[in-house]
Amino acid sequence: MLATISAILLVLVAIVFLPSHIYPYLWFLSARQPNTYPSYYSRFALRGSGLNIIPPYSPHPGPETLPLLAWVIVATPSSIQEHGDLLTQISCYCLLKGIPFHLDHQIIVDDRHLVTGRHANVAKYLKRYQWVFATDADILIADSTKDLRDYIQEGEVGDGVDVIFNDRRNREVCACAYFLKNSPGGWSFLRRWVAWADGWRHSTNWDNGDLGEMIAAGLIPGPPNNAEYTGRITTLEEEEVLEHPPREKIGCISKSGEAWGWEEYGSIFVACFEDFVKRYRTADDRIPFWEVNLWSWASVLPPTKMRVYKVLSGFNRWGLGEGTSIRTWDGVRLPGDFLISGKGLEQFVNADGALCSGKDWVIEPR
């Protein structure tokens, strides 16, 4: 009888307490799907509008008094396990160059996809440095003789850059690796990037799709000139207005509720985005990047200068270490590569990069 009562009590305890411990891990493992994670299971989940989740810029302490740069990676437990060799290599590089490195656990944001929560982690570190370099976990350092800090100081087009991205391979501005400055323009960019997800996604690609749409919206002069307006098309009235003009005229933004597949995203949105941005960007074929000014028409918002490194600039490029055939380093790398983003790159990590030997490395064919 006592054994039966004990068994019943154990079952009741499991029913009451186990969900709060097991659901976070089940959710993290299924993070490819939209966030359906029940907020009452987590005491750490953020909620509310994007403009409230990310605080506004504060000049205290003065950014000029802070350390120059930190490398920040935000990842789920499964991602940390999968890309452990790459993360070790990054930590060795940061130790070698004297750059602070922060590996942070993913923050949950209710009613948004997992990738949106990463921006809240970035904000936590941005207030402690002049710049933050935020990347995915699946990124390889091909040549450690290059200094990450050079990429926030290089250039002749214009001063006052607030955010730096790269074209990873297909004219798509990539959220996989970016610099963000502790400046009014940098904080405004991050806040509006999170706010862009308030109305759920419009593009197929959650992080890069939202990023591209937000950039396009920041180039379109027009009402409302309001600090609380995210630019997201969410009302029927706006949809009616934007129903008829060509997509290029509205910055390639898909209307509310329109579902895009990967084919449409690549063939329609990315191609449209490239043609649209060409009208506004400052470019010179002799330099490895182009720049554009966002929200320069909105008097209530700080203007944001964005720089994008070209695909063959040597900064960061897309590459695959896995696929339908055996991938060799010669088949992945190009001369001058610094960083490579993609799947299956762990196999190329060499001893100097994995053991913190104190030596620089340039990954060579084996």
Side-chain angles (χ1 to χ4, degrees), residues 196-206 209-210 213 231-235 239 252-261 265 269:
W196 197 256
D198 284 354
W200 211 240
R201 74 171 183 176
H202 283 202
S203 292
T204 287
N205 199 340
W206 291 94
D210 275 353
E213 286 192 354
R232 193 61 135 146
I233 306 166
T234 56
T235 67
E239 287 185 10
C252 312
I253 303 167
S254 58
K255 66 187 178 113
S256 207
E258 182 178 358
W260 282 7
Y265 174 76
F269 176 78

Side-chain angles (χ1 to χ4, degrees), residues 303-326:
T304 299
K305 178 170 286 187
M306 182 183 74
R307 174 179 296 172
V308 177
Y309 279 97
K310 299 172 185 175
V311 67
L312 297 180
S313 65
F315 168 48
N316 183 40
R317 192 174 56 80
W318 179 84
L320 278 181
E322 61 184 18
T324 56
S325 60
I326 298 175

